[in-house]
Amino acid sequence: MEYRRFGKTNLHFSVFSLGTMRYLTDSENVRKIIEKALCLGINHLETARGYGESETYLGKAIKAGLSIPRHQLYITTKIPPTADADTMRLYIDESLKRLSLDYLDCLAIHGLNTWQHLEWVQSKQGCMQAVQEAVNDGRVRHIGFSTHGSLDLILAAINTDFFKFVNLHYYYFFQRNTAAIQLAIEKDMGVFIISPADKGGKLYSPPQKLKELCHPFTPLDFNYRFLLNDQRITTLSIGPAKPEELVISPEIFAHKNELTKAEIAILERLETQQNNVLLTDKCSQCYACLPCPENIHIPEVLRLRNLAVAYNMKDYGQYRYGMFEKAGHWFPGMKANRCTECGDCLPKCPENLDIPNLLKDTHERLQGKAGRRLWE
């Protein structure tokens, strides 16, 4: 296992962190997953108030005793932003009780996704008053935030200088948040990548085309290598539902701080494949088409189309597309069939894409069962 400094927290985290959103079965399963993670050298466990009974299960494991002492283990929980300090005080107390802990190494504001959330954070009567009290009395050591929000919002949240770390989405197949990572590093913040296996492309069950393009690596290991080659990134979430799913290939650590010739060749193959297949229908994710009068998240819809058409990542596309209109601020935007062909987006697009027709095509390809947040 490799360890990296988590920004100005000065904690040294394993480059993989155990996420606990999917282990919600029974206490024994949770204990086995945690112990396997510890045996692999993982020293950071991350949970959240919103992950069903996750905090409670983790708390039972901690209370029963783990194979390493508490001071060698770092624990983060995430609590949603609140409009008032009293609610946050209650939430912090409840999380500590469920976790059987006297203190949290890290507390993240969970889902700082909207401008209203940021207003609550910046308000003198808002949630940060209670968070700061918990820091002052030692119940919380370090404060950060997690986000599924827009790039502009993430940059604004980082610029508040309230936080020591950020949890965000960034993968080979989604590089929109590059500027946020760079700003975080300039602020000496830790960078935690959310769900690179699942949200990064359902890479644990990739299509054959993607397997071929990423050979001799698996698509998942290639994504891990792509991320860990970036020294700005501290740690990646890995979230097994059972112990046997918790596998970390030794090859991931074989070449530190540089991509190999084979990996560079994969990058070139992936780019060539996308260009050759999509041709003039490729959306380059400039976001110039927004805002859409019908609140369609055009770039994200067309990103899913890019992946489905170029790499046969249809399962992933259907999974994410099904979240539209079902996940609120966690995955905002309407489905592509809401397009009225008003033409507002057409003159904005520097690539002259026929956006209405591409939206229609995407909906026909990816419409399926509507998705929900996992813990719902």
Side-chain angles (χ1 to χ4, degrees):
M1 184 59 65
E2 181 184 345
Y3 301 86
R4 295 182 181 177
R5 176 177 172 271
F6 196 44
K8 67 183 90 175
T9 71
N10 285 317
L11 305 176
H12 283 76
F13 282 1
S14 48
V15 294
F16 287 95
S17 293
L18 181 67
T20 61
M21 188 170 71
R22 299 179 64 241
Y23 72 6
L24 308 179
T25 53
D26 59 74
S27 297
E28 182 62 18
N29 183 64
V30 170
R31 187 191 65 80
K32 288 179 179 178
I33 291 173
I34 293 173
E35 287 297 347
K36 184 171 183 180
L38 299 180
C39 287
L40 289 172
I42 292 174
N43 69 352
H44 177 224
L45 311 183
E46 190 225 29
T47 184
R49 175 184 175 84
Y51 292 173
E53 296 300 313
S54 175
E55 287 183 329
T56 300
Y57 280 129
L58 178 54
K60 288 180 179 178
I62 292 170
K63 194 170 185 178
L66 298 173
S67 58
I68 67 173
R70 168 70 177 98
H71 70 274
Q72 295 178 10
L73 183 65
Y74 303 120
I75 297 174
T76 296
T77 198
K78 304 192 295 291
I79 297 176
T82 63
D84 63 281
D86 285 343
T87 302
M88 179 59 74
R89 289 188 189 98
L90 175 64
Y91 287 173
I92 292 172
D93 288 342
E94 288 178 347
S95 286
L96 285 167
K97 183 177 180 180
R98 283 195 288 259
L99 288 163
S100 299
L101 293 176
D102 296 322
Y103 71 92
L104 292 163
D105 297 282
C106 297
L107 170 65
I109 302 300
H110 190 195
L112 206 168
N113 297 339
T114 71
W115 292 102
Q116 183 182 56
H117 292 158
L118 187 58
E119 288 176 7
W120 293 348
V121 164
Q122 293 178 303
S123 168
K124 291 182 179 180
Q125 289 76 41
C127 53
M128 296 304 289
Q129 178 184 343
V131 172
Q132 191 57 54
E133 290 170 1
V135 172
N136 293 342
D137 64 26
R139 288 177 297 146
V140 171
R141 301 285 172 85
H142 306 288
I143 310 167
F145 73 99
S146 75
T147 181
H148 297 232
S150 67
L151 177 58
D152 287 348
L153 177 67
I154 299 171
L155 295 174
I158 291 172
N159 274 323
T160 63
D161 293 324
F162 291 163
F163 304 109
K164 293 185 179 181
F165 63 91
V166 57
N167 302 5
L168 46 62
H169 294 281
Y170 176 80
Y171 324 104
Y172 173 76
F173 293 115
F174 179 77
Q175 298 181 40
R176 171 71 176 168
N177 288 333
T178 302
I181 291 177
Q182 183 55 40
L183 181 60
I185 293 306
E186 292 170 7
K187 301 280 189 177
D188 194 23
M189 294 172 64
V191 176
F192 180 111
I193 301 301
I194 300 170
S195 187
D198 186 62
K199 306 301 189 298
K202 286 189 73 174
L203 300 178
Y204 44 79
S205 57
Q208 184 61 33
K209 172 56 69 175
L210 194 57
K211 290 180 182 178
E212 294 169 358
L213 290 166
C214 292
H215 183 77
F217 295 90
T218 66
L220 180 56
D221 282 356
F222 169 72
N223 192 43
Y224 286 156
R225 285 283 297 151
F226 171 80
L227 293 170
L228 293 179
N229 178 63
D230 189 337
Q231 292 298 303
R232 301 173 303 175
I233 293 170
T234 308
T235 188
L236 316 177
S237 176
I238 185 168
K242 47 191 176 182
E244 51 268 34
E245 292 180 359
L246 183 50
V247 178
I248 300 174
S249 302
E251 291 80 6
I252 293 170
F253 307 111
H255 299 275
K256 292 185 179 180
N257 306 329
E258 64 177 358
L259 292 175
T260 65
K261 290 182 179 179
E263 290 161 344
I264 293 170
I266 292 170
L267 289 171
E268 293 172 349
R269 285 201 299 271
L270 289 168
E271 185 66 20
T272 299
Q273 171 74 8
Q274 187 170 218
N275 290 337
N276 289 347
V277 174
L278 293 170
L279 299 174
T280 57
D281 286 343
K282 177 185 174 182
C283 172
S284 295
Q285 300 288 284
C286 69
Y287 279 57
C289 55
L290 296 181
C292 166
E294 303 305 325
N295 196 31
I296 298 168
H297 193 332
I298 297 170
E300 180 62 11
V301 171
L302 297 189
R303 181 182 77 92
L304 298 177
R305 184 185 185 277
N306 283 354
L307 299 179
V309 174
Y311 308 125
N312 294 345
M313 294 171 67
K314 185 177 179 180
D315 284 350
Y316 172 69
Q318 289 180 329
Y319 158 54
R320 296 302 282 169
Y321 187 74
M323 301 292 289
F324 285 124
E325 304 182 24
K326 292 292 181 180
H329 59 75
W330 295 97
F331 198 66
M334 308 301 288
K335 290 189 175 180
N337 64 332
R338 305 287 186 174
C339 176
T340 61
E341 300 187 38
C342 69
D344 183 78
C345 56
L346 293 175
K348 299 177 185 177
C349 179
E351 297 164 311
N352 297 314
L353 296 177
D354 186 351
I355 293 174
N357 276 331
L358 291 175
L359 292 176
K360 180 180 179 181
D361 178 78
T362 304
H363 184 74
E364 291 173 352
R365 289 175 185 273
L366 301 182
Q367 64 176 323
K369 184 179 178 181
R372 297 179 68 91
R373 301 289 292 165
L374 182 59
W375 56 86
E376 295 173 337

